[in-house]
Amino acid sequence: MSVRPQKLSFWLSILAYSIVLSPLLYISAMAQTQHVLDNTQTNVNLTKAEAKAKEKAGTAVANKKVLLTLGNIIVTAPQSRTQKAQSVPIAMQIVTQKQINTLAATNLSQLNNLTPGVNVGGAQVTQPSYSIRGIGMSDFGIGTGSPIGIFEDGVPVGKTGGVLLIFNDVKRVVVLKGPQGTLFGINSAAGAISVVTNAPENDWEELMHVRMGNYGSRYVDGVLNAPITDNMAYRLSFVDNQSDGWLHDAVTGQRFKKNGNWGMRNQLRWKIPGDTVVRVVWEHEQLNQPARPALGLVSVPSPPGRLSFPPNPQTYLNPITAPINDIFKHSKEKRRFDGMTLFVSHPFSFGKLNTITAYQHFSTSNIEDAAGTDQPYLYFTDGNIQQNTSWFQEFKLSGKNNLINWVAGASYYYVNARQDSQINLLTNSIDTILNNTQIAPGGLYGPLGAALGSPGLLLNDPWQENMFNHGHNKAYAIYGDLIWHLSNRLDFTTGLRFTRNEKQFSWYNPERIAPQLDATLANLQAAGIFNLPGVPPIQTFQKNLEYNSPAATNTPLRINRSWNNLSPRIVLNYKWTPNVMFYGSVTKGYEAGGFNTQLVDSVYQPEEVLNYEFGIKSYFPGYRLLFNASAYYYRYSNLQSLRLIANANSSLPAYEVTTSDQHAKGLDLEVHWLATKALRLNLTASYIDATYLHYVDPAGKSLSGQPVGVPLWSAVVGMEYVWHDVLNGDLRLNLLQTYGGKTRCNIDSTEQGQCLTTPTFTIGAASHLTDLHLGWSSPHSPWSLALYVNNVFNKQYVSINNISASILGTPFADLTPPRIWGVELGMDF
């Protein structure tokens, strides 16, 4: 949305006053959370060595342990970190290193069981999806953004192939719900997720964990933290995650659902004279594993039989028990990631300056089956190949006094991204598509060969089409945030960010690549076949099926767009007692406009959200009970969503971006109760009632007033029980039960693969998962041992993809993982 000059001048004046003329600006409760997220400089009361010594000596204060446990806060800072978490007037959830290890989680998608209302889809690691409070983005194209900001150590990691990096020496994951654009900017209109890693410290640390489990899983991680001098420390961490896969192809024997990635991080921290702290980080990761398989849902007859069309859902196979039959033998999902980050922190008499300078580059390739059969006349694969380079620079100045706390900052973010969207067919499967869609009944290539007395002459020839996209994105931002301490109990927060986005984008869809076919066509043309009566011209056999825009065929079509935005927030929070705080907020979120990679010359205007929220954060020491809750209402305009639609300009359907207006009311709930010294009970829950305000899909169906599909309820119930003095240590049992409500269907849900009931399976039903972890550790021993079982009762749930259903009659499915178990050995040298 463009801002009128008068309005822009007014808001820039307010922003300048907040940053320059006001004596100080505040970092606010949200900015306190930013310190939790950034990990650049944290207030730590105890070093790790001191904390371990006190734990071993049994001198830890019981109330501190209670606060630590109930607040899910890192062990190294029980007082300040717990207090900060409960003082932040925003709905947030902190996932600790201990919880990550308990789940044996290796990336963000495996934390869904801990964070109701948050969903990260990781079935395709290089093409993730994620949402918070029902708002998210499933499009993996480089043209659009995401309303969810993903950060690692304060650095934005984008939304495509570099998001789901393997967990490597992670300290915590912090989830902030609701618009966070004022201080975060960069794709955080609906919320922010930050992965915080461990920084070098002045104590020796040598750790290693080894896991072995079913399906040939083997996992190793390790940390070496070495103090070089009193002012310098080095930290090396690595992780290697491999498995043989829990699915295999019935024809080729190829195994799917493998793990195949490893990574490392090198860090150097130096405290130079003048109390300036510099930290340099280099991170590298590689992933190489089969892409997700297409689990065919229809029974394909043996030749010369042909598959009936259209498919009948009442005859679908059960993908949990049906064999995989995949003619495509080159399924691959790959990624190479490299990142360099420089953190600098310098204190002044009036505050502190923190800077982040970051470079990231990744390349990904995902080539996968899109039909799930072993028959050439049904062959269809697609590919997504990307290269992405980004630069990020942020300057942040903060300080505080008895009256106000403040923060002011400026940032620049640049992304240079390239994408090749690829489809692969055979002339056999093209004939099937042309016949099924009645574009050319009977097909073209088989009939021509048959007419010439050689039925296979033009069959079995590969055909590839490509859409090449190139994007240059720049984001400039300046922001300020201020909290006034109106009294000992009452705080008032105001914040404002000005953002300017400049984007350049191009589309290029050259003619299809089919060398074997072209050689045959050239011979037929030389023989005069295409001049015979009744034979279509040669151009009929050369036209692109999917990517066929004339404007982008011979040369790339380029466009430029820019948008300005002001994102304010207002928060009022009141401490009724030292341990009970009420808060209310009004915040605005913004996501820049973008482009559809699949649709030439398409432009989407910016997304905007207005969020109203009221919450309570409380802790009752006498009952050892923590209770947090928030209620909210938001209105979201122009939300970009990826949907499967019929393309009037091509023979194939496509996943394209559409926009809609939505609103929702909801509730977030978090309860932790230390029932006894040995028993802890936890409950986190999310209620979301999200519906369309205005939306008419490309087929003309109005979904206004209908649910968007997000379940009403999701919840996690957890229990931890500790047996003390077992072999001179503690034996801990963690049990986690996750519930996901059923999908709220609308009139478009079946076509999108979100809701379906067949005799063999149901899509969109409620889900239940149980995870178990039993571990022993002792402060007197460097060894620890654990047994973990994820999905104890072996419940698997089906998702469906209809991209080939309307052209080949081959819908296919994917599955959630089965029961995964293993043992873990930990070594603390």
Side-chain angles (χ1 to χ4, degrees):
M1 181 184 72
S2 299
V3 181
R4 294 193 300 270
Q6 299 86 347
K7 185 177 179 182
L8 177 59
S9 176
F10 170 76
W11 283 109
L12 286 178
S13 299
I14 296 295
L15 182 59
Y17 174 80
S18 300
I19 296 176
V20 180
L21 301 181
S22 178
L24 291 172
L25 289 174
Y26 178 47
I27 192 164
S28 83
M30 173 62 192
Q32 295 176 28
T33 305
Q34 178 78 2
H35 279 297
V36 174
L37 299 179
D38 280 344
N39 100 330
T40 53
Q41 295 295 319
T42 56
N43 296 321
V44 180
N45 294 327
L46 299 175
T47 67
K48 287 189 176 180
E50 291 170 336
K52 288 180 181 179
K54 284 196 172 186
E55 183 182 10
K56 291 181 179 180
T59 59
V61 179
N63 286 341
K64 293 181 182 179
K65 286 187 177 180
V66 172
L67 285 173
L68 167 65
T69 304
L70 297 182
N72 288 333
I73 308 302
I74 211 72
V75 175
T76 54
Q79 297 176 6
S80 62
R81 204 52 57 204
T82 300
Q83 183 61 40
K84 282 190 175 182
Q86 285 301 100
S87 297
V88 176
I90 189 172
M92 59 182 290
Q93 188 169 350
I94 299 174
V95 180
T96 66
Q97 185 180 44
K98 176 185 174 183
Q99 291 174 299
I100 293 172
N101 292 338
T102 297
L103 273 180
T106 57
N107 63 45
L108 279 174
S109 68
Q110 293 164 314
L111 298 187
N112 292 333
N113 292 3
L114 292 174
T115 53
V118 180
N119 184 269
V120 180
Q124 301 177 85
V125 179
T126 61
Q127 299 177 181
S129 62
Y130 29 92
S131 66
I132 296 178
R133 290 179 171 176
I135 297 296
M137 188 58 177
S138 55
D139 175 36
F140 48 83
I142 64 172
T144 54
S146 168
I148 312 297
I150 312 293
F151 301 84
E152 182 181 285
D153 294 337
V155 179
V157 296
K159 80 174 188 73
T160 56
V163 173
L164 287 186
L165 296 179
I166 190 171
F167 280 158
N168 186 349
D169 196 20
V170 171
K171 179 185 289 187
R172 58 183 169 261
V173 176
V174 183
V175 179
L176 296 168
K177 299 180 179 180
Q180 309 300 326
T182 302
L183 281 166
F184 284 88
I186 309 298
N187 304 341
S188 54
I193 302 175
S194 179
V195 178
V196 180
T197 67
N198 289 296
E201 298 184 352
N202 289 330
D203 301 303
W204 280 97
E205 186 177 12
E206 302 105 327
L207 302 173
M208 180 174 287
H209 295 91
V210 178
R211 297 179 196 146
M212 302 290 287
N214 59 339
Y215 303 112
S217 62
R218 54 236 183 244
Y219 171 96
V220 181
D221 69 40
V223 172
L224 171 63
N225 190 96
I228 301 173
T229 68
D230 290 342
N231 296 318
M232 184 179 293
Y234 169 75
R235 190 177 185 92
L236 167 67
S237 59
F238 71 90
V239 60
D240 184 59
N241 183 34
Q242 307 290 328
S243 74
D244 295 338
W246 48 267
L247 280 175
H248 71 277
D249 191 294
V251 176
T252 66
Q254 180 176 357
R255 300 193 70 88
F256 294 96
K257 298 295 185 178
K258 290 184 177 183
N259 293 318
N261 56 336
W262 65 271
M264 63 183 299
R265 182 183 297 112
N266 286 271
Q267 302 185 67
L268 183 67
R269 181 185 57 80
W270 181 28
K271 185 177 181 181
I272 61 179
D275 292 330
T276 299
V277 178
V278 177
R279 181 160 64 100
V280 181
V281 182
W282 171 56
E283 183 174 10
H284 175 77
E285 192 226 43
Q286 288 197 28
L287 178 142
N288 187 355
Q289 59 194 34
R292 66 103 186 95
L295 307 180
L297 294 176
V298 292
S299 180
V300 180
S302 300
R306 306 284 289 187
L307 181 66
S308 61
F309 182 86
N312 179 5
Q314 297 307 306
T315 64
Y316 282 179
L317 305 173
N318 185 346
I320 297 177
T321 58
I324 303 174
N325 291 302
D326 186 356
I327 194 175
F328 184 48
K329 301 179 178 62
H330 306 291
S331 167
K332 281 293 181 183
E333 186 171 23
K334 295 182 178 181
R335 173 174 62 207
R336 179 189 173 99
F337 175 92
D338 288 281
M340 289 286 296
T341 309
L342 172 66
F343 300 93
V344 179
S345 177
H346 181 77
F348 296 96
S349 59
F350 58 86
K352 179 182 289 187
L353 173 67
N354 287 293
T355 74
I356 302 176
T357 306
Y359 164 84
Q360 293 182 341
H361 175 80
F362 69 80
S363 57
T364 64
S365 177
N366 191 337
I367 311 296
E368 60 191 15
D369 183 22
T373 83
D374 59 354
Q375 296 300 312
Y377 76 93
L378 299 172
Y379 179 84
F380 178 24
T381 72
D382 58 19
N384 174 29
I385 301 168
Q386 294 189 19
Q387 288 194 6
N388 186 296
T389 301
S390 66
W391 289 91
F392 177 70
Q393 178 65 61
E394 183 177 49
F395 299 95
K396 182 169 59 181
L397 191 63
S398 61
K400 62 182 179 180
N401 58 27
N402 292 331
L403 179 62
I404 51 179
N405 290 345
W406 57 273
V407 65
S411 67
Y412 169 74
Y413 188 49
Y414 169 75
V415 178
N416 181 7
R418 297 179 182 272
Q419 181 174 9
D420 172 14
S421 300
Q422 183 183 107
I423 64 169
N424 295 278
L425 299 160
L426 294 176
T427 46
N428 313 47
S429 52
I430 293 176
D431 269 357
T432 303
I433 293 171
L434 297 177
N435 179 66
N436 289 344
T437 58
Q438 291 298 291
I439 294 175
L444 289 173
Y445 303 95
L448 178 59
L452 297 174
S454 180
L457 180 64
L458 286 86
L459 297 181
N460 293 305
D461 289 340
W463 174 294
Q464 182 183 107
E465 295 184 27
N466 298 271
M467 173 67 79
F468 296 100
N469 301 111
H470 188 192
H472 292 274
N473 302 334
K474 299 177 181 179
Y476 309 85
I478 183 170
Y479 60 90
D481 206 60
L482 170 69
I483 280 187
W484 293 91
H485 301 308
L486 302 181
S487 71
N488 290 335
R489 296 185 175 185
L490 184 64
D491 290 339
F492 179 62
T493 306
T494 58
L496 185 66
R497 172 184 288 257
F498 170 72
T499 304
R500 176 171 176 80
N501 294 97
E502 298 176 355
K503 295 189 176 185
Q504 180 188 89
F505 200 76
S506 68
W507 297 263
Y508 177 47
N509 54 248
E511 294 182 352
R512 89 287 185 274
I513 301 172
Q516 292 93 326
L517 174 64
D518 285 339
T520 303
L521 292 176
N523 291 333
L524 295 179
Q525 186 178 37
I529 297 299
F530 296 109
N531 296 323
L532 297 176
V535 178
I538 188 173
Q539 292 82 6
T540 304
F541 301 85
Q542 298 172 324
K543 293 180 180 178
N544 282 19
L545 297 178
E546 176 69 3
Y547 305 128
N548 53 17
S549 172
T553 297
N554 297 317
T555 185
L557 175 67
R558 294 182 175 89
I559 62 175
N560 296 275
R561 293 293 186 273
S562 62
W563 299 274
N564 300 320
N565 177 264
L566 288 150
S567 296
R569 80 182 190 110
I570 299 174
V571 185
L572 189 67
N573 59 284
Y574 177 75
K575 282 196 171 182
W576 187 34
T577 71
N579 295 318
V580 179
M581 179 184 72
F582 295 94
Y583 65 90
S585 64
V586 180
T587 52
K588 180 185 175 183
Y590 156 80
E591 165 59 38
F595 316 94
N596 190 341
T597 57
Q598 304 289 303
L599 187 62
V600 174
D601 203 19
S602 62
V603 180
Y604 298 101
Q605 296 307 308
E607 304 174 8
E608 291 189 351
V609 58
L610 191 60
N611 187 83
Y612 305 89
E613 191 151 349
F614 176 79
I616 179 175
K617 291 197 170 184
S618 59
Y619 174 68
F620 305 97
Y623 298 97
R624 295 179 295 188
L625 176 69
L626 182 145
F627 175 83
N628 295 335
S630 63
Y632 61 87
Y633 172 79
Y634 66 71
R635 293 174 64 97
Y636 210 112
S637 62
N638 210 38
L639 178 64
Q640 301 167 19
S641 302
L642 190 69
R643 306 182 74 83
L644 181 65
I645 66 172
N647 192 336
N649 298 318
S650 73
S651 304
L652 307 180
Y655 281 102
E656 294 186 1
V657 178
T658 62
T659 59
S660 63
D661 296 337
Q662 303 179 13
H663 67 155
K665 53 188 176 184
L667 174 70
D668 289 310
L669 180 67
E670 181 179 16
V671 182
H672 301 273
W673 181 36
L674 198 64
T676 69
K677 290 183 179 180
L679 178 63
R680 170 182 165 178
L681 302 174
N682 309 306
L683 168 67
T684 52
S686 173
Y687 171 83
I688 306 172
D689 181 7
T691 58
Y692 289 103
L693 275 169
H694 306 289
Y695 178 58
V696 178
D697 75 2
K701 294 179 290 189
S702 175
L703 276 71
S704 302
Q706 297 190 34
V708 302
V710 180
L712 283 176
W713 283 100
S714 58
V716 177
V717 179
M719 180 203 78
E720 180 182 77
Y721 191 86
V722 183
W723 291 272
H724 298 286
D725 300 321
V726 177
L727 299 177
N728 204 25
D730 291 339
L731 184 65
R732 296 178 181 270
L733 172 66
N734 286 273
L735 197 61
L736 204 65
Q737 179 65 42
T738 304
Y739 167 78
K742 66 178 182 179
T743 301
R744 300 179 67 202
C745 306
N746 55 53
I747 59 174
D748 201 31
S749 294
T750 299
E751 182 177 347
Q752 299 304 320
Q754 298 170 343
C755 296
L756 181 66
T757 298
T758 77
T760 56
F761 64 89
T762 298
I763 294 175
S767 63
H768 305 265
L769 290 175
T770 306
D771 298 319
L772 179 147
H773 184 276
L774 181 65
W776 176 89
S777 62
S778 171
H780 309 290
S781 172
W783 306 95
S784 62
L785 185 65
L787 167 69
Y788 64 90
V789 185
N790 295 335
N791 191 8
V792 173
F793 298 105
N794 201 33
K795 291 182 176 294
Q796 291 187 269
Y797 296 93
V798 180
S799 59
I800 192 172
N801 190 310
N802 284 324
I803 190 170
S804 61
S806 61
I807 52 173
L808 293 172
T810 54
F812 60 91
D814 196 10
L815 292 175
T816 59
R819 181 189 299 114
I820 302 292
W821 61 266
V823 294
E824 178 182 283
L825 177 66
M827 293 155 281
D828 185 347
F829 304 100

